[in-house]
């Protein structure tokens, strides 16, 4: 599978938004378009020839009391622990729920499978999973199922301004 930098005017609207945000913050890597969709972390890792853990997957939750989007950016080989996230972003007794495709699109401007960690139409409450810091280089969705961009976990923190937290489920050792 190849990676192709495309002229900005030929990119989908969401990817253009991400490219503009990256450029505005001086990020050196532009989004690239993959030949095939990378809707899952495994598909993206396979397309890029990297470990699945190097994929920064963006998971959107819905904070029930105020209907706010909560973005958790985690390593592709980890699962998010919703209770840990709720403890960090919900007030006493507040609940965190699953976000359906309509909510994700309305709150982020991106479709599931292409949610970028930045350039959302409405800024979400964002957390970065500390597990991403196992890697020097990671890749994130760039606003479209075919779009990705390269960065480091430190770049992710700088670009989003989000805190780093322990939000992954414990890894079971066999």
């Amino acid at each position: 599978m190849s990676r192709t930098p495309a002229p900005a005017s030929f990119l989908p609207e969401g990817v253009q938004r991400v490219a503009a945000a990256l450029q505005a913050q001086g990020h050196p890597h532009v989004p690239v378009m993959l030949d095939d969709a990378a809707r899952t972390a495994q598909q993206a890792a396979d397309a890029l020839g990297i470990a699945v853990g190097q994929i920064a997957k963006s998971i959107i939750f819905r904070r029930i009391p105020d209907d706010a989007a909560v973005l958790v950016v985690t390593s592709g080989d980890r699962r998010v622990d919703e209770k840990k996230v709720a403890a960090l972003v919900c007030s006493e007794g507040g609940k965190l729920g699953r976000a359906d495709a309509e909510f994700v699109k309305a709150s982020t401007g991106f479709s599931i499978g292409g949610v970028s960690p930045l350039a959302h139409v409405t800024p979400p409450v964002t957390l970065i999973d500390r597990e991403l810091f196992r890697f020097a280089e990671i890749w994130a969705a760039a606003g479209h199922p075919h779009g990705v961009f390269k960065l480091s976990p430190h770049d992710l923190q700088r670009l989003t301004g989000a805190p780093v937290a322990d939000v992954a489920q414990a890894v079971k050792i066999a």
Side-chain angles (χ1 to χ4, degrees):
M1 192 175 295
S2 69
R3 304 180 276 199
T4 310
S9 61
F10 293 108
L11 295 172
E13 186 275 330
V15 180
Q16 288 182 37
R17 216 169 56 239
V18 171
L22 292 170
Q23 183 179 24
Q25 294 194 53
H27 188 68
H29 303 288
V30 297
V32 295
M33 298 300 286
L34 302 172
D35 289 341
D36 294 318
R39 292 184 187 275
T40 68
Q42 188 63 61
Q43 288 172 335
D46 291 347
L48 294 164
I50 60 175
V52 70
Q54 289 179 267
I55 299 300
K57 63 182 179 181
S58 295
I59 310 295
I60 299 287
F61 294 97
R62 185 181 212 153
R63 190 166 59 190
I64 304 300
D66 61 358
D67 217 29
V70 175
L71 167 65
V72 178
V73 186
T74 190
S75 185
D77 62 353
R78 298 293 193 255
R79 292 186 56 86
V80 173
D81 185 324
E82 290 180 46
K83 290 180 183 174
K84 288 181 180 180
V85 175
L88 293 168
V89 303
C90 295
S91 58
E92 189 68 32
K95 298 223 184 266
L96 198 62
R98 300 250 178 210
D100 62 17
E102 185 178 323
F103 178 82
V104 171
K105 181 72 171 174
S107 62
T108 69
F110 305 120
S111 296
I112 292 174
V115 176
S116 173
L118 61 143
H120 293 225
V121 294
T122 303
V125 175
T126 304
L127 298 171
I128 298 170
D129 181 26
R130 70 179 185 189
E131 291 293 322
L132 281 167
F133 287 79
R134 295 176 292 152
F135 304 99
E137 177 184 292
I138 58 176
W139 287 78
H144 186 275
H146 289 258
V148 293
F149 67 99
K150 182 169 67 169
L151 70 167
S152 73
H154 296 286
D155 291 334
L156 178 63
Q157 191 175 17
R158 179 182 61 79
L159 292 166
T160 63
V164 176
D166 173 11
V167 292
Q169 291 179 354
V171 177
K172 294 178 181 159
I173 300 173

